[in-house]
Amino acid sequence: MEDFRRSYLRLCKEGGIDTQESVLAQLHDTRTVTGVCRLDLSGQSVGVDTCGVLGRALQNDTLFTEIILSDCMLSEEGAKLLLNGLCSNTTVKVLDLKGNNMRGTGAEALGQLLVRNKTLRRLVLEWNALGMWEEGFSIFCEGLASSSSLTQLDLRNNQMNHQGAAELCVALKRNSTLQELDVRWNNMGLLGGRSLLEAMQQNRTLVKLEMAGNNIPSDTLRAIEQSMNHNADRQSTLRDSRSRTQVLSKEIQLLKEEKGRQFLSLMDTIDRQKDEMGRSSRNSSLRLGQLKEALSEQKSSVNSLTAKLQMTEAALALSEQKTHDLGELLTRVKLEKTELRDRQSREVKKVQEDSALREAKLLKEVNGLSEKNLQLRNKLEESERRCKTQQDQIFELKQELTNTTAELKLRLAQTEERLDMEKRRSKQALEDVDSLRQKEVDHLTRHQEESERAFQERILKLEGQRIQLEEDLSRSKASLVTERAQAEEELGKVRAQVRLEEQQHLTSLEEKLRAVRQSRDESQNHCTQQKQTVSELHARVGQQNIEMDSLRRRIDELQQELAGKEQEKVSDVTRVRVELQEQIGHLQAERTTQSGLKEKISALEREMKALSTAHREALLDKESEISSLLERLRTREGEIQRIREDEAQRASFLQNAILTYVQGSPLAHYSPKK
């Protein structure tokens, strides 16, 4: 109230208008009596300026609900200003303008008020002259027709004739909110009564109509009263239906509240489920992120392991190829060894045969030499026998010589005796005989010397022959010994050379076999290591596959949980829909008169549909996310498969390169020494 008074005083000061202490006192009295609900200025003289100030003050006022300006001698301009200010007011429900002699301009302003104001319930226009001005009253009736809030209208003593009644009836035909109308003490006449009767046949809301003092026939009044009764019955039924609708609306409100609570509980459960789903989705997203990270790590480890596996497989293939090559080399070495053994055995046999042949030859030579030796021995024995025989002959010759010498000595003695005898016989003859004897002696000596010389020469020849034979025997013995020593040396050299060659070949073969065994052991160890690494890699790959299967099972479980939650939500929504449809089925008898309720129910259904569609969209988003994740998993598996193929291709390239390297290595060009 103080705010209204301050605004009133401010507006009065701004306009340079008298504040009218009576108005302020009335405001003060109104505040103290009615508690800021009614503005009562009845009987006060309110000027145009005061009406303008009140209109502007009431334009945004939110305190007064009733304004009483009866018998205030309002002018046309003041009423217009006041009513224009009330057009935008939202709190005034009762307006009393009794006894202000309002005319055409006031009627037009009232029509504008009824059109623009949406809160005015009761309008009192008693003791005015609205009916005298047809144009203004027609505008007032148009405003009444379009009013959606006015329920009580007092038009007593407004000098309405049958034409004003016709305008009023046209407005009543269009109005759907007016319930009480007072047109007493006007001059409607028969035509106005008939117009009212015609209007009452179309109007369904007017239940109280006061028409006394209008010169209307009694039958028309009875017909109007009958139509009023119909309207009253209709209004009573309408009130009953409204009470029922209120009860039903209360029940529906209760049901709505209950359903709202259920819906809120459902929404709470849905929100909780959404929160749980959000948490689960966040957890699942976190878990999925962790799993993705773990999967990426596992994939990286799988990639590294696959790379290692490919490398180990390549190394294993190379080692297998090496073992295969070494096996082939070992088989070749074994074949070469067997061939070498066969060859060596053949060579040994050949050497043995050659040695046997050489021994046979040597034996033959030894036999020949022994035969020669025997022959030489025989010759030596023969020569010895001959020598012995010659020695015997020499001895015999010596004996003969001694004998001859003895004989010669005897003969010499005889001759000397004979010479002595000859000397004795005759000295002259002796001299002759001496000379002859000397000659004979010389001849004998010469003969003896010649024989001795011949014997000595024969002895020398025999000794030379003996020496020559001894030399030949010694030379033959030496040559035999040297030949035997040479044969034995050659046989020893051949045997030593064969043994050395065999030992060298055996040592080289043993070294090769040792190297082959060592390389085979190394390759077997490498193969076992590679097999162990391959088994470990297979185990890791199996673990990765198990983890991927667990992830897939987890995704399937999440999908099943989402499907179960979706089914539960769909079942809850269907259950709610069934319950709502059951309740709507119970309320179908009254649904025809309750379009607003139907709109609200349809709105609820639309909200439920919107919620269900939103939930479905959320579920579809989750499914799309899951499908995208599955697609990403498939793409990652395709990438892993492609990487495996690339690694296999690289391993094949590496294997081919290693095979070419192994084939180009000196070991591949090894040829056994023949």
Side-chain angles (χ1 to χ4, degrees):
M1 179 63 71
E2 291 296 328
D3 294 334
F4 183 77
R5 290 180 68 186
R6 282 195 296 271
S7 64
Y8 175 75
L9 291 172
R10 181 175 56 80
L11 291 171
C12 288
K13 287 179 182 179
E14 288 176 356
I17 303 167
D18 187 10
T19 57
Q20 291 186 349
E21 295 296 329
S22 61
V23 175
L24 292 175
Q26 185 63 38
L27 288 174
H28 181 71
D29 294 336
T30 301
R31 178 188 174 199
T32 56
V33 174
T34 60
V36 298
C37 289
R38 177 184 293 180
L39 178 61
D40 191 357
L41 298 175
S42 59
Q44 302 292 330
S45 178
V46 180
V48 177
D49 296 334
T50 305
C51 289
V53 172
L54 284 175
R56 281 184 289 173
L58 291 171
Q59 190 173 2
N60 296 319
D61 180 61
T62 57
L63 294 174
F64 297 109
T65 59
E66 295 183 7
I67 297 175
I68 299 173
L69 296 173
S70 60
D71 299 327
C72 288
M73 294 181 291
L74 296 176
S75 63
E76 291 289 313
E77 189 65 25
K80 184 177 180 180
L81 291 174
L82 181 62
L83 294 173
N84 287 330
L86 287 173
C87 286
S88 60
N89 189 279
T90 58
T91 58
V92 176
K93 296 181 180 180
V94 178
L95 179 61
D96 190 354
L97 297 174
K98 176 183 176 182
N100 285 294
N101 197 17
M102 297 179 66
R103 294 178 180 84
T105 305
E108 291 177 0
L110 286 171
Q112 293 294 326
L113 175 65
L114 292 175
V115 170
R116 294 171 63 184
N117 192 288
K118 303 299 181 183
T119 59
L120 189 62
R121 297 288 184 268
R122 184 184 177 195
L123 180 60
V124 179
L125 298 174
E126 186 181 358
W127 291 104
N128 287 289
L130 298 176
M132 292 178 66
W133 310 91
E134 293 181 0
E135 187 176 355
F137 190 71
S138 64
I139 293 172
F140 171 75
C141 290
E142 287 179 359
L144 178 62
S146 61
S147 177
S148 61
S149 61
L150 190 65
T151 59
Q152 295 179 6
L153 179 61
D154 190 354
L155 293 174
R156 288 178 292 175
N157 294 311
N158 272 279
Q159 298 179 11
M160 283 189 298
N161 55 12
H162 64 280
Q163 293 178 354
E167 293 289 337
L168 183 61
C169 290
V170 171
L172 290 176
K173 288 178 182 179
R174 292 169 57 192
N175 188 278
S176 61
T177 59
L178 190 62
Q179 296 178 0
E180 296 181 5
L181 178 62
D182 194 350
V183 291
R184 288 178 292 177
W185 310 112
N186 287 291
N187 193 15
M188 292 183 182
L190 178 61
L191 296 176
R194 288 180 179 176
S195 298
L196 285 173
L197 179 61
E198 186 179 356
M200 291 303 296
Q201 289 178 357
Q202 294 184 8
N203 190 283
R204 296 289 184 269
T205 59
L206 193 62
V207 295
K208 185 177 180 181
L209 180 60
E210 298 290 339
M211 294 181 296
N214 282 292
N215 296 320
I216 297 172
S218 60
D219 55 350
T220 305
L221 290 174
R222 283 194 299 271
I224 291 171
E225 187 177 0
Q226 188 176 1
S227 62
M228 291 289 294
N229 292 326
H230 286 302
N231 285 335
D233 294 335
R234 191 178 293 113
Q235 287 296 324
S236 64
T237 55
L238 184 59
R239 282 193 296 272
D240 293 334
S241 65
R242 282 180 181 175
S243 63
R244 289 181 182 178
T245 51
Q246 287 177 358
V247 172
L248 290 173
S249 63
K250 287 180 181 178
E251 291 180 356
I252 290 169
Q253 190 67 30
L254 292 173
L255 290 172
K256 281 183 181 179
E257 290 176 357
E258 185 178 358
K259 293 302 176 182
R261 288 193 295 272
Q262 291 180 359
F263 183 72
L264 289 174
S265 64
L266 179 61
M267 291 302 293
D268 291 332
T269 55
I270 290 170
D271 291 332
R272 286 196 297 273
Q273 288 178 359
K274 282 183 180 179
D275 293 332
E276 289 177 358
M277 285 177 66
R279 287 194 295 272
S280 63
S281 63
R282 286 193 295 271
N283 293 324
S284 62
S285 62
L286 291 173
R287 180 63 179 168
L288 192 60
Q290 293 175 358
L291 290 173
K292 282 181 181 178
E293 292 176 357
L295 185 62
S296 62
E297 291 177 357
Q298 295 295 329
K299 282 182 179 178
S300 62
S301 62
V302 165
N303 291 325
S304 62
L305 290 174
T306 51
K308 289 182 181 178
L309 181 61
Q310 296 295 329
M311 293 173 67
T312 51
E313 285 179 354
L316 182 61
L318 290 174
S319 61
E320 287 179 354
Q321 187 67 31
K322 285 183 180 179
T323 53
H324 183 68
D325 295 335
L326 290 172
E328 290 180 355
L329 183 62
L330 186 61
T331 53
R332 287 199 299 270
V333 168
K334 286 181 179 179
L335 291 173
E336 290 175 359
K337 188 177 180 181
T338 53
E339 289 177 358
L340 286 172
R341 283 180 181 175
D342 295 333
R343 193 179 298 163
Q344 188 178 2
S345 63
R346 286 194 298 271
E347 288 178 357
V348 168
K349 285 181 181 179
K350 192 182 287 184
V351 168
Q352 287 178 356
E353 289 176 356
D354 293 334
S355 62
L357 291 172
R358 285 181 184 178
E359 285 179 358
K361 287 180 182 179
L362 290 171
L363 288 172
K364 285 181 181 179
E365 289 177 358
V366 168
N367 290 322
L369 290 172
S370 61
E371 288 177 357
K372 285 181 181 180
N373 195 3
L374 289 173
Q375 289 177 2
L376 289 171
R377 282 180 181 177
N378 292 322
K379 286 180 180 181
L380 183 60
E381 289 176 355
E382 287 177 358
S383 62
E384 285 178 354
R385 282 194 300 273
R386 286 173 66 185
C387 187
K388 284 180 180 181
T389 54
Q390 286 178 1
Q391 285 178 359
D392 292 332
Q393 287 176 4
I394 288 166
F395 185 71
E396 287 177 356
L397 287 170
K398 282 181 178 181
Q399 285 180 357
E400 287 178 357
L401 182 59
T402 53
N403 292 321
T404 54
T405 55
E407 286 178 356
L408 285 172
K409 283 178 178 181
L410 287 173
R411 284 179 182 178
L412 184 56
Q414 288 175 1
T415 56
E416 283 180 354
E417 288 177 356
R418 284 176 181 175
L419 282 171
D420 288 334
M421 288 177 68
E422 288 285 334
K423 282 177 178 183
R424 286 171 189 150
R425 284 174 180 173
S426 81
K427 282 184 183 182
Q428 199 173 14
L430 184 57
E431 289 177 1
D432 293 329
V433 172
D434 286 327
S435 63
L436 288 171
R437 190 182 58 184
Q438 187 70 33
K439 288 179 181 178
E440 286 178 1
V441 169
D442 292 330
H443 180 70
L444 287 171
T445 53
R446 282 193 301 271
H447 181 70
Q448 187 179 357
E449 287 177 356
E450 287 177 359
S451 61
E452 284 179 357
R453 196 180 293 117
F455 283 130
Q456 285 179 356
E457 287 177 359
R458 285 183 68 184
I459 288 165
L460 289 172
K461 284 180 182 179
L462 289 172
E463 285 180 355
Q465 287 179 356
R466 183 177 64 79
I467 290 165
Q468 188 176 3
L469 289 173
E470 286 179 356
E471 287 177 356
D472 292 331
L473 181 60
S474 63
R475 280 196 301 272
S476 62
K477 285 181 179 179
S479 63
L480 182 62
V481 170
T482 54
E483 286 179 358
R484 183 181 290 174
Q486 288 177 358
E488 288 178 354
E489 285 178 359
E490 287 179 357
L491 184 61
K493 286 180 181 179
V494 169
R495 287 179 179 175
Q497 187 176 2
V498 170
R499 286 176 183 173
L500 285 172
E501 288 178 357
E502 287 180 356
Q503 287 178 358
Q504 289 177 359
H505 193 62
L506 286 172
T507 52
S508 63
L509 288 175
E510 285 177 355
E511 288 177 356
K512 289 178 183 178
L513 185 60
R514 194 179 299 110
V516 168
R517 285 178 180 173
Q518 204 167 19
S519 61
R520 185 189 65 188
D521 294 331
E522 290 178 356
S523 61
Q524 284 179 357
N525 293 323
H526 191 65
C527 287
T528 53
Q529 291 177 0
Q530 295 295 329
K531 285 179 180 178
Q532 288 178 358
T533 54
V534 166
S535 62
E536 290 177 358
L537 291 172
H538 281 299
R540 290 182 182 176
V541 169
Q543 290 179 359
Q544 296 294 327
N545 291 322
I546 291 167
E547 289 180 357
M548 289 177 71
D549 292 331
S550 64
L551 288 174
R552 288 175 182 170
R553 286 196 295 273
R554 180 62 181 167
I555 290 168
D556 293 332
E557 289 176 357
L558 289 173
Q559 287 180 354
Q560 289 177 2
E561 287 179 359
L562 287 174
K565 289 181 180 179
E566 184 181 2
Q567 288 178 359
E568 289 178 358
K569 289 177 182 178
V570 168
S571 63
D572 292 333
V573 170
T574 51
R575 182 170 56 78
V576 170
R577 283 184 180 176
V578 167
E579 290 177 357
L580 287 173
Q581 286 177 0
E582 288 178 357
Q583 291 174 2
I584 289 165
H586 290 297
L587 297 172
Q588 278 181 354
E590 296 155 0
R591 192 175 172 185
T592 55
T593 59
Q594 298 170 359
S595 59
L597 182 61
K598 184 177 179 181
E599 290 177 358
K600 291 179 181 178
I601 292 169
S602 62
L604 286 173
E605 287 181 352
R606 285 194 296 274
E607 289 178 359
M608 292 295 292
K609 287 181 181 178
L611 289 172
S612 62
T613 53
H615 182 62
R616 286 178 183 172
E617 288 176 357
L619 289 176
L620 289 173
D621 292 333
K622 293 293 181 181
E623 288 179 355
S624 64
E625 288 179 0
I626 291 168
S627 62
S628 65
L629 289 174
L630 290 173
E631 187 66 27
R632 289 177 67 185
L633 283 173
R634 285 195 290 273
T635 54
R636 290 296 176 85
E637 287 178 355
E639 289 178 359
I640 290 169
Q641 187 67 29
R642 191 165 59 254
I643 289 167
R644 285 181 180 174
E645 291 177 357
D646 293 335
E647 292 296 330
Q649 192 173 3
R650 289 180 185 174
S652 64
F653 289 159
L654 184 61
Q655 185 176 2
N656 293 323
I658 291 169
L659 286 175
T660 54
Y661 176 73
V662 170
Q663 288 177 1
S665 64
L667 186 62
H669 297 287
Y670 174 78
S671 61
K673 186 178 179 182
K674 293 184 180 181

